[in-house]
Amino acid sequence: MTAPTVERELLPFLEAAVSETPVEEIETFPAVNTSAEQAVKRLVIINWSGELDRMWPTLIMSTAAAASGYRTSVFITFWGLLPFVKDQKRIVGETWMQRMLSLMQRPGISHLKLSKMNFAGMGPWMIGKLSKQYNVAQPPELLEAAQAMGVEFIPCQMTMEMFGLKREDMIDGLGEPAGAATVLELMTEPNTASLFI
Amino acid sequence: MTAPTVERELLPFLEAAVSETPVEEIETFPAVNTSAEQAVKRLVIINWSGELDRMWPTLIMSTAAAASGYRTSVFITFWGLLPFVKDQKRIVGETWMQRMLSLMQRPGISHLKLSKMNFAGMGPWMIGKLSKQYNVAQPPELLEAAQAMGVEFIPCQMTMEMFGLKREDMIDGLGEPAGAATVLELMTEPNTASLFI
Amino acid sequence: MTAPTVERELLPFLEAAVSETPVEEIETFPAVNTSAEQAVKRLVIINWSGELDRMWPTLIMSTAAAASGYRTSVFITFWGLLPFVKDQKRIVGETWMQRMLSLMQRPGISHLKLSKMNFAGMGPWMIGKLSKQYNVAQPPELLEAAQAMGVEFIPCQMTMEMFGLKREDMIDGLGEPAGAATVLELMTEPNTASLFI
C-alpha cells in the first residue's frame, strides 16, 4: 500500500496545504496502518455550499486527509453539487425553471463566488490574487489533486434530480449518485471525523 | 423492537429521502443491533440556521438516520429554533425588541427563506416547485415524519430565553430545553456522528 | 487534577452557558476520568466563519466542553481568524490588498457582525442588548473564559499568510500556527466530536 506514482508527483504541490507534515511521515504512514484494519482513519465531508470560500476548506481538508492516508469521501449536495458540473456548461437542467436556476447560480469549479464581500466579483478576484501570491492552491487544481489522490466524490441523487442534472453534465470521475443513508453509514464508521461545510 | 405501525406507514413517504436503502434492510436492522449494545449508531445535529436550504439537510439526515435505526437528536438553537415555533404565531417574545426580531424573521416551519437567491421569495418558490415536482419531501412533512419516527428535537434553553419564547409558543413534541453540556455528552457517545448545520 | 482557582472563579460566570450541569458534577468529573486514559473526551471546532452569531456557538461550546473536562481545540481559519486579531488593530496586512480586505471586514472580537439581519449594525446591537439582558455571556468575555479554562486556539498558518497577519497582530495566548493535517489528527482521536462552524 505504498503511495502510487501519481500521488508522489502531487505531493510537492500539496505541501502548501499540508505544510506542517514532513513528506517522510506521509510516506511511512500506511505501513504503520496495515497492521490493524480498524486503525484506518476516515474523513467524511458533506459539501453542501457551493461558495468559493467554503469549497476551499472542503478541498484542502480532503486532499490533506488523502495525503495522510485517510479514506476520504465527499458527499456533494444542494448548492455544493454545482461546482462539480462541467466548467464549460453554461445552462443546465431540463425544465425552464432548472435552466433559470443554473443561469442565476453559474455552475462549474471556475465560477465560484464568495459567501460575503462578493462586491460584484471584486472579492473573489482579490482573494484569488492573494491566495495565488501566497501559494494557496486554487479550487480547480485542488479538485484535480483530490481526484488523483483517491478522494471519493459522491453526488447526491436527490439534488441531481431536483436540478435536472445528468451524469454527462457532471465532471468525470465522480462516484455513484447516492443518498442520505449511504453518507450516514460512512459517517459512523470507526475513527471517522465528519464535517458539514 | 420491530418498527411501530406509524413508521411503517411513513416508510414509503421516506423512500425519496433514503432511496438507496431497501425497505427490508431497514426492518431487519434493529434485530442485528440488540446483540451488542455499543453497536447502536447515533446522529447528533446542531441545527443552528433557520433557513429553508439548511433545514432540508437537517430534516432529511435526521429522518434517514431514524429510518435506519439510529438514535437521532437534533439540538435546535439560535436562528434554528425559529422554525420550531408554531406556524400560526406571527409575533413572539415578551419585550418590544424580541417582538420586533420575530417580525423581521418570521418564525414557523412554513415560512422559511433560502440562505441566498431569495429574490423576494421567488427563490424559495422555485425551489419549492422543483422539489415537489421531483418528489422531495417538504419541510413541514419531513418535520412531522421525523417526530413520528422518534427523532428527538431538543430546544436550546438560552436561545428560548433570549428570544422570549415559551413552551406554548413552540410546536408540540419537543424535548426538554437543554444547553451545550447536554449536547456535548450526546456528541461524544460511541458510534456517533455529529454535524453543525 | 482538581480545577485550578481561576476555573473555579469562572464557573459561576459560565453557569449561563452550561446551566443544566450542576457545579458538583463538573468538579468530580475529572476524578472518574483519570482511571482510563482513553475515556478523555475531546471537542474539535473548525472556526471558519467570523460572524457574531457563529462565534457564539464556537465560544459557548468550547467553554462548556472545557468546563466539563474535555480537551478542547479550536482551529481558527479563514474569516474565523479575524476575530482573533487584537481589538485595537484597525488595518492589518502587508500589501495594499490585504490592508483593504481588513478595512472591509474589521477584525477583532469586539467588531463582529451578524450573518444576516445586520441592518447597518442594528441587528448586532439588538442581539447584543437581548443577550446581555438574558445573561448570555458576550464574545469578548467568553473568549477570555475559554482561554483561561485551557481551550487551545490554533491559528491556520495558510490564512495568516494570505491575510498578511503576523503573530504580534494576534491576541496573546494562541497556539502554534498549524495546517489541515494537524486538525485532522485531532479530529480522529478516540471519543472526539468535531464541528465545522
Side-chain angles (χ1 to χ4, degrees):
Chain A
M1 209 182 134
T2 34
T5 323
V6 63
E7 292 186 19
R8 242 189 281 266
E9 275 164 8
L10 275 162
L11 282 176
F13 161 71
L14 276 160
E15 274 177 291
V18 291
S19 54
E20 83 281 25
T21 310
V23 174
E24 313 85 67
E25 217 174 283
I26 296 173
E27 308 240 353
T28 56
F29 184 77
V32 181
N33 242 8
T34 40
S35 54
E37 178 63 277
Q38 71 269 44
V40 178
K41 292 184 163 195
R42 291 155 201 262
L43 175 67
V44 179
I45 293 177
I46 301 183
N47 184 62
W48 173 87
S49 162
E51 283 146 349
L52 171 60
D53 37 359
R54 286 182 183 259
M55 279 303 290
W56 244 314
T58 290
L59 293 172
I60 290 174
M61 296 295 282
S62 59
T63 46
S68 305
Y70 290 42
R71 280 196 51 184
T72 311
S73 310
V74 180
F75 184 63
I76 50 180
T77 182
F78 220 84
W79 310 116
L81 189 74
L82 297 176
F84 295 83
V85 169
K86 280 177 187 144
D87 246 352
Q88 59 273 31
K89 296 262 174 185
R90 182 64 192 91
I91 298 173
V92 286
E94 289 166 332
T95 68
W96 69 266
M97 223 189 270
Q98 290 166 338
R99 297 171 77 79
M100 197 166 146
L101 268 179
S102 77
L103 198 72
M104 297 191 289
Q105 172 84 12
R106 176 158 191 176
I109 190 77
S110 304
H111 310 289
L112 301 171
K113 290 180 185 173
L114 287 175
S115 68
K116 55 179 173 182
M117 300 217 306
N118 210 56
F119 295 127
M122 200 181 73
W125 175 79
M126 280 175 66
I127 292 283
K129 281 282 263 189
L130 279 178
S131 58
K132 271 170 208 152
Q133 194 177 338
Y134 290 90
N135 298 316
V136 178
Q138 299 304 298
E141 300 161 355
L142 278 168
L143 175 55
E144 209 184 309
Q147 287 196 300
M149 299 183 75
V151 174
E152 186 190 23
F153 291 94
I154 308 167
C156 171
Q157 180 141 33
M158 201 192 296
T159 307
M160 286 186 69
E161 284 167 20
M162 201 170 88
F163 288 156
L165 293 167
K166 298 188 215 70
R167 290 300 287 269
E168 61 263 31
D169 295 326
M170 312 301 295
I171 61 167
D172 294 332
L174 298 184
E176 278 300 307
T182 302
V183 193
L184 285 164
E185 277 297 317
L186 292 171
M187 293 195 321
T188 47
E189 290 286 316
N191 309 308
T192 302
S194 51
L195 299 172
F196 183 95
I197 298 186
Chain B
M1 210 182 132
T2 34
T5 322
V6 62
E7 290 187 20
R8 241 190 280 266
E9 275 165 6
L10 275 161
L11 282 175
F13 160 71
L14 277 161
E15 274 176 291
V18 291
S19 54
E20 84 280 28
T21 310
V23 174
E24 313 83 68
E25 217 175 283
I26 296 173
E27 308 239 353
T28 56
F29 185 77
V32 181
N33 242 9
T34 39
S35 53
E37 178 63 276
Q38 71 268 46
V40 178
K41 293 186 162 192
R42 290 155 202 262
L43 175 67
V44 179
I45 294 177
I46 301 183
N47 183 63
W48 173 88
S49 162
E51 282 145 350
L52 171 61
D53 37 359
R54 287 183 182 259
M55 279 303 292
W56 244 314
T58 291
L59 292 172
I60 290 173
M61 295 295 283
S62 59
T63 46
S68 305
Y70 290 42
R71 278 194 55 183
T72 312
S73 311
V74 180
F75 185 63
I76 50 179
T77 183
F78 219 84
W79 310 116
L81 189 73
L82 296 176
F84 295 84
V85 168
K86 280 179 187 141
D87 247 351
Q88 60 273 33
K89 296 261 173 185
R90 184 64 192 91
I91 297 173
V92 286
E94 289 166 331
T95 68
W96 70 266
M97 222 188 270
Q98 290 166 338
R99 297 170 76 81
M100 198 165 145
L101 267 178
S102 76
L103 197 73
M104 296 191 289
Q105 173 84 13
R106 175 158 192 175
I109 190 77
S110 304
H111 311 289
L112 301 171
K113 290 180 185 174
L114 287 175
S115 68
K116 54 179 173 182
M117 300 216 307
N118 211 57
F119 294 127
M122 200 181 74
W125 175 80
M126 279 175 67
I127 292 281
K129 282 282 263 190
L130 279 178
S131 57
K132 272 170 206 153
Q133 194 176 337
Y134 291 90
N135 299 316
V136 178
Q138 299 305 298
E141 301 160 355
L142 279 169
L143 176 53
E144 208 184 309
Q147 287 196 300
M149 298 184 75
V151 174
E152 186 190 23
F153 291 94
I154 307 168
C156 171
Q157 180 141 34
M158 202 192 295
T159 307
M160 286 187 69
E161 284 166 19
M162 203 171 89
F163 287 156
L165 292 167
K166 298 188 216 73
R167 290 300 288 270
E168 62 262 31
D169 295 326
M170 312 302 294
I171 60 167
D172 294 332
L174 299 184
E176 278 299 306
T182 302
V183 192
L184 286 164
E185 278 296 317
L186 293 171
M187 293 194 322
T188 47
E189 290 286 317
N191 309 308
T192 302
S194 51
L195 300 172
F196 183 95
I197 298 188
Chain C
M1 212 184 129
T2 35
T5 322
V6 63
E7 290 188 21
R8 239 191 281 267
E9 275 164 7
L10 275 161
L11 282 176
F13 160 70
L14 276 161
E15 275 177 291
V18 291
S19 53
E20 84 281 24
T21 310
V23 175
E24 313 84 67
E25 219 174 283
I26 296 172
E27 307 238 355
T28 56
F29 185 77
V32 182
N33 244 9
T34 41
S35 54
E37 178 64 275
Q38 72 268 44
V40 179
K41 293 185 162 193
R42 291 155 201 262
L43 174 68
V44 178
I45 293 177
I46 301 183
N47 183 62
W48 173 88
S49 161
E51 284 146 349
L52 171 60
D53 38 358
R54 285 180 184 262
M55 278 302 291
W56 243 314
T58 292
L59 293 173
I60 289 174
M61 295 296 281
S62 59
T63 46
S68 305
Y70 291 42
R71 279 193 54 182
T72 312
S73 310
V74 180
F75 184 62
I76 50 179
T77 182
F78 222 83
W79 309 117
L81 189 74
L82 297 177
F84 295 83
V85 169
K86 281 179 188 143
D87 246 351
Q88 59 272 31
K89 297 260 174 187
R90 183 63 191 93
I91 298 173
V92 286
E94 289 165 331
T95 68
W96 69 266
M97 222 188 270
Q98 290 166 337
R99 297 171 76 79
M100 198 166 145
L101 267 179
S102 75
L103 197 73
M104 297 192 288
Q105 173 84 13
R106 176 160 192 174
I109 190 77
S110 305
H111 311 289
L112 301 171
K113 289 180 186 173
L114 286 175
S115 68
K116 56 177 172 182
M117 299 217 306
N118 210 56
F119 294 127
M122 199 180 74
W125 175 80
M126 278 175 65
I127 293 283
K129 281 282 264 190
L130 279 178
S131 58
K132 272 171 207 152
Q133 194 177 337
Y134 291 89
N135 299 315
V136 178
Q138 300 303 298
E141 301 161 354
L142 279 168
L143 176 54
E144 209 184 309
Q147 288 196 300
M149 299 183 76
V151 174
E152 187 189 24
F153 292 95
I154 307 167
C156 171
Q157 179 141 35
M158 202 192 294
T159 307
M160 285 187 70
E161 283 166 20
M162 202 171 89
F163 288 157
L165 293 167
K166 299 188 215 73
R167 289 301 287 269
E168 62 263 31
D169 295 326
M170 312 301 294
I171 60 167
D172 294 332
L174 299 183
E176 278 300 307
T182 302
V183 192
L184 285 164
E185 278 296 318
L186 292 171
M187 293 195 322
T188 47
E189 290 286 317
N191 310 308
T192 302
S194 51
L195 300 172
F196 183 93
I197 298 187

